[in-house]
Amino acid sequence: MRPHTSEEISAFAKWLTQACQEAGLRAEQYGSKVRIIASCHFLTEEVECRPDDAGALRWWWSWGKPIADRHDSARILTPDEVDDLVEAIVQVVAIPLKRWP
């Protein structure tokens, strides 16, 4: 597997940033990382595009786990699966707050 350039990785991060913004999230790119801030500003997540141990590009949660598909946790998302990635991120940063009576 050929190594990925920082320009390629940055391009994936830019693509994710734009997709998050189109989904109504505030997203900011910092090189290979994308910071996503929920509209309520209580929840923020930073994901990073980087190679795994085998050299395949993956997206990683801030806590060091690769991001998996919401419907099949055994399938790790690749950088070009942006729609599924945005869906997973929304589930983390856009959790509705519980209202107490």
Side-chain angles (χ1 to χ4, degrees):
M1 184 172 294
R2 73 171 178 77
H4 298 277
T5 67
S6 60
E7 290 82 15
E8 289 174 310
I9 294 171
S10 186
F12 281 120
K14 182 176 182 178
W15 188 17
L16 175 61
T17 301
Q18 292 170 339
C20 285
Q21 291 168 345
E22 290 171 8
L25 299 170
R26 186 171 144 216
E28 303 165 349
Q29 180 186 355
Y30 300 95
S32 63
K33 295 181 181 182
V34 178
R35 179 175 296 147
I36 303 99
I37 303 165
S39 59
C40 65
H41 297 284
F42 293 115
L43 300 172
T44 300
E45 178 56 35
E46 192 168 275
V47 298
E48 181 177 15
C49 185
R50 61 179 168 85
D52 62 14
D53 292 339
L57 278 183
R58 302 284 184 223
W59 285 100
W60 300 82
W61 293 114
S62 61
W63 56 89
K65 295 287 184 186
I67 301 176
D69 183 273
R70 287 188 57 237
H71 308 290
D72 179 5
S73 61
R75 188 171 74 82
I76 304 300
L77 296 177
T78 60
D80 59 348
E81 295 177 287
V82 172
D83 292 337
D84 292 333
L85 187 56
V86 170
E87 185 179 331
I89 291 168
V90 165
Q91 294 301 308
V92 170
V93 299
I95 298 170
L97 296 176
K98 188 171 189 170
R99 304 272 182 212
W100 298 102

